[in-house]
Amino acid sequence: FMRGYLLGFVFWTGIATGSLALVMLHNLTGGRWGSAIRPTLEAVTRTIPFLAVLFVPIALNLGELYIWADPEVVAHDPLLQHKAAYLNVPFFLARNAAYFGIWLVLAWLVNRWSAEQDAAGSDLGRIRRFQVVSAPGLILYVLTMTFASVDWVMSLEPHWFSTIYGPLHMAGHALGGLALGITVLVLLRSKPPLSQVVRADHLHDLGKLLLAFVMVWAYFSFSQYLIIWAGNLPEEIPWYLRRLQGGWQWMGLALLLAHFVLPFFLLLSRGLKRSSPLLGRVAVLVLVMHYVDVYWLTVPAFGEGGPLRPHWLDLAAAAGVGGLWVAWFARHLRMRPLLPLGDPTLVEEMSDDGA
């Protein structure tokens, strides 16, 4: 059960933190894409307090999940003894408290100021505050999520390491957050006020950004594989051997085809990116394959190279976490306007339409 619970926790927490990164990215760069989905992304970030509570069962069952948390295993493993200064229970819990503390503060700030902007309108001072927080906020996100991905997933196999592992997870999280934002936008686009504002140009911009993140995820995934394949070091290749045999290779092939090749070629079409139903279907495909990606990264660590044997508890536990998360997200999505009323890009577009 805890394996599936960890899987669901990593997936939904990645969606929330990836959405936080996208909000901060939009605060720095602006653009039409953010004005269409920013309220959705902000509602996703408001699930981070709930996810912090969901971390408690993991903290209470570290010995069941991680071999480095078992003193008997560590006592007979020289490498784990060498890594014990970092991989130990008190330091692990302290690090995760710091991760969630930083994410909670960043999410609170961007949501508070966004609500103030919706109420009072846009002004240069508030926009500047967004930028002042978002620039170091993105740096903090990169640092914390790099260590969090190592702690939650890579340390399941503590004899293996990859220097690109953090960026690989972050690319997947941003891709998942963007895919969820597009999916919600497509579902709600026919309802006011979105129906009065969101145009094909917004969808086109979101489709281009989705294509960009698909390529970034594929680049990091292929780079890690290429470097490990070229090095052919005995301490590195077992990680891929566990994932390229016993049926796991078919899941890897599905990721290649359905998480990169198919979305890549579909999103090259200008007409598809401007079509709400078609773009929504691609976004759903990307979101589903992001779950498969998290599964492929996480679950083989528990099988010690055994064949692919999905357990119903993997899906049930992840779906249980997801059901609670979706309910929390939907509640917060209804609490704010579906459009960022004070966003300068949106205000300018509405003025142009009125003119």
Side-chain angles (χ1 to χ4, degrees), residues 152-171:
W152 298 343
V153 185
M154 194 168 80
S155 73
L156 292 169
E157 300 163 278
H159 296 90
W160 177 84
F161 64 91
S162 169
T163 55
I164 205 173
Y165 200 73
L168 174 61
H169 272 263
M170 284 184 281

Side-chain angles (χ1 to χ4, degrees), residues 91-212:
F91 194 24
F92 177 90
L93 296 177
R95 288 195 304 272
N96 279 270
Y99 306 153
F100 277 103
I102 291 171
W103 299 334
L104 285 168
V105 170
L106 291 174
W108 178 75
L109 287 175
V110 298
N111 278 279
R112 177 187 175 187
W113 292 342
S114 179
E116 291 177 358
Q117 188 180 64
D118 288 343
S122 177
D123 64 73
L124 294 178
R126 188 170 289 109
I127 294 173
R128 179 60 180 164
R129 277 195 295 173
F130 277 133
Q131 295 172 341
V132 167
V133 168
S134 296
L138 278 173
I139 296 174
L140 288 172
Y141 165 76
V142 170
L143 291 174
T144 53
M145 185 46 68
T146 295
F147 284 101
S149 64
V150 171
D151 286 350
W152 298 343
V153 185
M154 194 168 80
S155 73
L156 292 169
E157 300 163 278
H159 296 90
W160 177 84
F161 64 91
S162 169
T163 55
I164 205 173
Y165 200 73
L168 174 61
H169 272 263
M170 284 184 281
H173 296 165
L175 183 57
L178 181 60
L180 178 63
I182 293 173
T183 301
V184 173
L185 177 67
V186 169
L187 290 174
L188 300 179
R189 189 193 174 195
S190 60
K191 301 179 181 180
L194 292 176
S195 60
Q196 302 168 357
V197 176
V198 176
R199 305 189 302 267
D201 290 341
H202 294 92
L203 299 173
H204 193 198
D205 289 348
L206 288 167
K208 290 189 290 186
L209 190 61
L210 187 65
L211 173 61

Side-chain angles (χ1 to χ4, degrees), residues 160 228-229 231-242:
W160 177 84
I228 291 178
W229 175 82
N232 198 30
L233 299 176
E235 64 268 22
E236 294 181 348
I237 58 176
W239 191 89
Y240 274 106
L241 292 178
R242 280 190 287 271

